[in-house]
Amino acid sequence: MAYKDYEIVIGLEVHSELKTKSKIYCSCTTQFGGEPNTHCCPICTGMPGTLPVLNGKVVEYAIKAGLATNCSIHQFSKQDRKNYFYPDLPKAYQTSQYDLPLCYEGHVDIEIEDQEKRIGITRIHIEEDAGKLIHAAEGTYVDYNRCGVPLIEIVTEPDLRSPEEIRIFLTKLRSILLYTDVSDCRMNEGSFRCDVNLSVRKKGEEAFGTRTEMKNINSFNFAVKAAEYEAKRQIKLIESGGTVVQETRRWDEAKGVTVSMRSKEEAHDYRYFPAPDLMPIVTADEEIDRIKASIPELPDVRMHRYMEHAGLSKYDSELLVASMKISDYFDDASQYTENKKTLANIIISEAFSRMNEDEKELGQIPIGAKNLGKLAHLVDTNVISSSIAKKVFAKMWEQDDDPETIVEQEGLKQISDDGALRTMAEEVIAKNDKAVQDYLSGKEAAIQALMGQMMARTKGKANPKMVIDLLKEILKSKK
């Protein structure tokens, strides 16, 4: 039996650090980095006699994430102690949520091979992060700075069926969290990471196979690679007569394999019980309504608006909504031009390229939205050609000047004088006999050589449409 005879079943547990200034139960900063053990206090580390106080922003942000992923909200929720011991968790329990999470039964829709697919969200609950172990040659150190940083854990239904669906889902989820501004989702800092639960079963079977869990993966590519490897490992094991063991594994990027860490704990292993020092979380309808009203237009809605009302392709729309900063910028610039397609082209082709060359983060465009919108308008109204627009854009990137001023000062206005262009076209045709003969013999591409001559003569300022029409008209008369 081959790999294709099996079906992969995947569920994800995504941990995202919330963008609060202080930790979940104390006033310590959540700022990343700093000298080890300088961003922590007795509450973070659970010293005897300390009492936690829940940060209200954590609840607000978690509900906001839940509403943005179509979850229902438990208006009566509580927090629980999840008991286990690791060196980076000095109080030997993590304050989390068990049977009454803040958010439940939501979904995120993804698109796979042009088909829409719904991925169920089982729950979203709040919890505190643990510290961090630092392994060195002389031993292992522990840094408690991260203890108590607020997290939401987003648990999906086992609805994903391929490693590629992991990538698409995580991309979509990360985008939603960024739009709602509840997390910075910096994967390199561990503020957006996931556990991949994976099992395989023969196609047609309904019962799930035994699953394994790959922990703390902080890269989309690693998640995909880990799932690909683990699915093949499990299938190979089953085919050889072995049995998949329920366990926790880690992804070893250097070796390209998953490695066993420990047997997988079940809920009863954690001996959950209600956190005795924390009151239940009660959320009024008015508060949920207020949070719902604060959610901005999300990527899916924006994408459809661009396709239906701005005339953009799906591909262009996806590129623009991938970053809320870019999408907002596009909306702002759109006020200054009628043709949104031209504006989108300038952003996608010119701005994206320059951001990449200058190693700027997505959205760091040093040109005001108004000026870029005006540049697109100059192209739309045939004041300048697309090729001249690139030159103007390059100047604006270095100094954010009004494009109309640049065009005037540099003498870059498009030449649309029919008489002047006709005279020039006749001269070009007279001096390029080979290209003319090629065109007349059926090689239509030969006209591009004549077009190039026209553009060279006008330094790119000739109206391209007029030029091509004139060339064809004159050449037609020679047949």
Side-chain angles (χ1 to χ4, degrees):
M1 191 163 286
Y3 184 85
K4 62 181 176 57
D5 297 317
Y6 283 82
E7 181 178 53
I8 306 171
V9 179
I10 303 166
L12 299 176
E13 296 172 18
V14 180
H15 289 87
S16 185
E17 288 184 358
L18 295 176
K19 204 174 171 181
T20 57
K21 291 181 180 176
S22 57
K23 293 185 178 179
I24 186 168
Y25 299 121
C26 66
S27 59
C28 288
T29 179
T30 55
Q31 187 177 1
F32 179 77
E35 289 297 314
N37 300 310
T38 56
H39 296 168
C40 59
C41 71
I43 293 177
C44 303
T45 50
M47 293 295 106
T50 59
L51 287 174
V53 178
L54 178 61
N55 183 341
K57 273 289 179 187
V58 173
V59 176
E60 177 181 333
Y61 283 179
I63 292 176
K64 198 172 184 180
L67 293 171
T69 49
N70 306 293
C71 286
S72 298
I73 307 300
H74 272 134
Q75 291 185 255
F76 182 88
S77 181
K78 67 181 178 64
Q79 295 165 89
D80 303 278
R81 285 190 181 181
K82 182 180 181 182
N83 296 278
Y84 63 95
F85 175 76
Y86 287 133
D88 57 0
L89 188 66
K91 55 188 178 181
Y93 65 83
Q94 178 188 33
T95 306
S96 181
Q97 293 193 286
Y98 180 47
D99 55 337
L100 286 175
L102 274 173
C103 317
Y104 64 100
E105 294 181 2
H107 65 264
V108 170
D109 293 331
I110 63 171
E111 193 168 288
I112 181 82
E113 296 178 350
D114 294 327
Q115 296 291 319
E116 194 167 86
K117 179 173 180 177
R118 178 155 294 180
I119 307 300
I121 302 292
T122 311
R123 57 189 281 146
I124 299 178
H125 64 255
I126 58 173
E127 62 185 25
E128 60 184 333
D129 211 343
K132 182 180 178 183
L133 295 178
I134 302 164
H135 303 286
E138 63 273 23
T140 297
Y141 300 91
V142 62
D143 178 5
Y144 292 129
N145 279 354
R146 207 173 62 182
C147 273
V149 169
L151 297 173
I152 50 174
E153 181 173 341
I154 302 161
V155 182
T156 77
E157 293 290 305
D159 289 340
L160 298 127
R161 290 291 177 271
S162 72
E164 183 58 19
E165 287 186 16
I166 295 178
R167 186 199 307 278
I168 295 169
F169 174 80
L170 289 178
T171 302
K172 186 74 169 286
L173 180 63
R174 183 172 182 269
S175 176
I176 291 171
L177 296 181
L178 287 171
Y179 267 67
T180 50
D181 202 28
V182 300
S183 173
D184 58 29
C185 295
R186 289 175 181 158
M187 302 186 78
N188 61 328
E189 295 179 3
S191 65
F192 188 80
R193 56 189 193 266
C194 74
D195 304 337
V196 179
N197 290 281
L198 184 146
S199 64
V200 299
R201 62 184 175 190
K202 289 176 182 172
K203 286 183 178 174
E205 291 183 349
E206 292 189 3
F208 290 142
T210 302
R211 65 186 167 86
T212 58
E213 180 183 48
M214 277 72 74
K215 294 288 287 183
N216 285 329
I217 299 177
N218 64 352
S219 152
F220 292 177
N221 284 336
F222 290 174
V224 169
K225 288 180 180 177
E228 288 173 342
Y229 176 86
E230 183 61 15
K232 290 178 181 175
R233 187 191 72 85
Q234 290 188 18
I235 292 169
K236 187 176 179 181
L237 187 61
I238 293 169
E239 286 292 295
S240 64
T243 304
V244 177
V245 177
Q246 183 168 323
E247 62 183 349
T248 299
R249 301 176 71 86
R250 67 177 175 84
W251 170 244
D252 186 329
E253 170 58 16
K255 296 179 179 175
V257 298
T258 62
V259 180
S260 179
M261 293 172 65
R262 59 181 183 269
S263 62
K264 170 62 182 171
E265 297 90 344
E266 298 289 354
H268 63 261
D269 294 325
Y270 292 120
R271 293 167 287 115
Y272 281 98
F273 65 84
D277 298 329
L278 291 161
M279 296 291 286
I281 302 168
V282 179
T283 311
D285 287 333
E286 295 77 11
E287 181 64 4
I288 295 174
D289 290 342
R290 182 189 68 78
I291 295 170
K292 185 180 291 183
S294 71
I295 296 175
E297 187 181 40
L298 294 175
D300 276 359
V301 180
R302 288 189 185 214
M303 197 173 84
H304 286 112
R305 174 163 62 82
Y306 291 164
M307 292 168 67
E308 291 173 12
H309 302 294
L312 303 188
S313 67
K314 182 182 173 188
Y315 178 75
D316 287 350
S317 301
E318 284 177 338
L319 290 175
L320 292 175
V321 304
S323 158
M324 187 172 176
K325 284 184 180 178
I326 290 288
S327 183
D328 284 346
Y329 183 89
F330 174 75
D331 285 341
D332 290 343
S334 291
Q335 299 174 50
Y336 302 96
T337 181
E338 292 295 322
N339 191 337
K340 310 299 187 291
K341 175 63 178 168
T342 301
L343 175 62
N345 287 344
I346 293 174
I347 293 175
I348 292 169
S349 61
E350 302 302 320
F352 280 14
S353 174
R354 287 303 302 264
M355 280 187 284
N356 187 44
E357 287 175 16
D358 296 355
E359 297 182 345
K360 291 180 179 292
E361 288 185 16
L362 200 59
Q364 290 184 325
I365 300 176
I367 300 173
K370 180 179 180 179
N371 278 342
L372 200 75
K374 289 173 73 174
L375 176 63
H377 181 69
L378 292 177
V379 177
D380 291 338
T381 52
N382 292 320
V383 175
I384 58 174
S385 65
S386 296
S387 60
I388 292 296
K390 292 182 180 181
K391 295 180 182 177
V392 178
F393 177 89
K395 289 183 178 294
M396 292 167 69
W397 190 269
E398 301 303 327
Q399 187 168 336
D400 184 20
D401 286 336
D402 186 321
E404 291 178 351
T405 303
I406 295 173
V407 169
E408 285 292 338
Q409 289 177 343
E410 304 280 333
L412 297 174
K413 279 189 177 178
Q414 186 164 254
I415 300 172
S416 299
D417 184 308
D418 183 85
L421 290 177
R422 184 179 294 274
T423 300
M424 204 180 303
E426 288 171 343
E427 292 174 0
V428 166
I429 286 172
K431 292 183 177 179
N432 290 274
D433 187 58
K434 183 176 186 310
V436 171
Q437 294 307 318
D438 285 346
Y439 180 81
L440 294 176
S441 64
K443 296 178 181 176
E444 293 190 3
I447 201 169
Q448 294 303 323
L450 303 174
M451 182 79 177
Q453 290 287 325
M454 291 288 288
M455 286 302 175
R457 283 191 171 209
T458 59
K459 296 181 179 177
K461 293 188 289 183
N463 183 317
K465 185 175 184 314
M466 289 185 68
V467 169
I468 203 74
D469 288 346
L470 281 169
L471 288 172
K472 286 182 177 178
E473 179 188 327
I474 297 169
L475 289 169
K476 185 178 179 181
S477 67
K478 294 183 177 297
K479 287 185 177 178

